Amino acid sequence: MIELRTPAEIEQMRPAGAFVAEVLAATAAAARLGVNLLELDALAHDLIRRRGAESCYIDYHPSFGASPFGKVICTSVNDAVLHGLPHDYRLQDGDLLTLDFAAAVDGWVADSAVSLVVGTPRDEDLRLIDTTRRALAAGIQAAQPGGRIGDISAAIAAVAHAEGYSINTQFGGHGVGRTMHGDPHISNDGRAGRGYPLRPGLVIAIEPWFLETTDEIYTDRDGWTLRSADGSRGAHSEHTVAITEDGPLVLTAP
């Protein structure tokens, strides 16, 4: 079911958005050479406790997950692009890391993701990350009241296709509110003018993610981490956005 939020409820969601942005900034700053992914998860967990927030991940067990996630942040490295389960791995020079974090504050959820390179970057990785960021900006700009979900999808796809990337449509954006994942689904490819109307009060996560040379993925043996079928690297950018009478409002802006 698609729920629309009142202006007062959107204001109540701001603390969750600010907290998610804070945690992503802190974990991104901590992601240095030699740092263990489990240390990043522990940092996020500590920040949740200090804030009195609630993890959206630790008990999360959808149909596509092998078991409850058990951690509080997704850490996807190199050929992993989504749902990266933190494990005993120390970051190495040149690793492409995606951090994806969602949490609830006072019962309201926000969700966001960033990709970055640890140490010495490859030009190909910087281009891939930049493309996801520009696609996210285009998707947000297209999230105008009176438009359609397809406007967002088409805007994202135009940026990706211009750079020669193909698009996987199995996973994409989604509604956000009292829970992390709700309707509507927001594909990263689609046709403008189609789909659910963008009405004021709709709160969604917009999240373009692309792989360097494929659009096919598989699930790692850990039962969660999604990796590229050909070993190429992936990047992912995401914000929680509210549709308002005045246009899109990014709740997870740094």
Side-chain angles (χ1 to χ4, degrees):
M1 182 176 70
I2 297 174
E3 296 183 84
L4 301 180
R5 305 299 174 186
T6 66
E9 287 176 324
I10 290 173
E11 285 299 309
Q12 292 167 12
M13 295 183 75
R14 284 184 183 269
F19 175 68
V20 166
E22 173 191 333
V23 172
L24 281 180
T27 51
R32 299 184 298 271
L33 295 180
V35 170
N36 197 301
L37 298 181
L38 294 175
E39 294 177 83
L40 297 179
D41 183 72
L43 171 59
H45 210 154
D46 183 56
L47 292 170
I48 289 171
R49 283 193 296 264
R50 291 187 192 181
R51 180 61 174 81
E54 182 179 350
S55 170
C56 292
Y57 290 166
I58 196 162
D59 295 322
Y60 187 52
H61 190 189
S63 59
F64 56 80
S67 60
F69 191 72
K71 305 296 181 184
V72 300
I73 192 169
C74 294
T75 54
S76 302
V77 180
N78 296 333
D79 64 319
V81 66
L82 295 175
H83 308 162
L85 186 64
H87 59 285
D88 185 12
Y89 174 82
R90 294 194 177 277
L91 292 167
Q92 301 177 28
D93 189 40
D95 278 346
L96 197 170
L97 170 67
T98 295
L99 299 166
D100 190 352
F101 181 72
V105 175
D106 299 326
W108 294 105
V109 172
D111 189 4
S112 186
V114 297
S115 289
L116 58 106
V117 176
V118 177
T120 309
R122 301 164 62 228
D123 288 342
E124 300 91 335
D125 292 343
L126 295 179
R127 174 172 167 258
L128 183 62
I129 292 170
D130 179 66
T131 302
T132 67
R133 290 174 178 168
R134 288 189 293 108
L136 175 58
I140 293 169
Q141 180 59 36
Q144 299 292 336
R148 299 269 179 170
I149 290 292
D151 300 345
I152 300 172
S153 302
I156 290 170
V159 175
H161 291 154
E163 294 295 335
Y165 297 120
S166 56
I167 298 173
N168 178 294
T169 57
Q170 291 171 263
F171 295 90
H174 50 87
V176 181
R178 292 294 189 181
T179 60
M180 177 172 59
H181 287 149
D183 294 326
H185 172 73
I186 303 163
S187 175
N188 287 324
D189 196 359
R191 295 178 63 182
R194 300 291 183 90
Y196 185 80
L198 297 175
R199 298 189 176 101
L202 182 67
V203 183
I204 53 178
I206 301 175
E207 50 177 314
W209 61 276
F210 311 130
L211 299 165
E212 190 173 1
T213 57
T214 186
D215 58 11
E216 297 183 9
I217 55 176
Y218 73 94
T219 304
D220 187 271
R221 289 179 297 175
D222 65 18
W224 273 99
T225 305
L226 296 179
R227 298 184 180 277
S228 67
D230 65 357
S232 64
R233 296 185 175 204
H236 175 197
S237 295
E238 177 181 14
H239 273 312
T240 295
V241 180
I243 310 299
T244 77
E245 294 281 1
D246 298 323
L249 172 65
V250 180
L251 295 172
T252 47

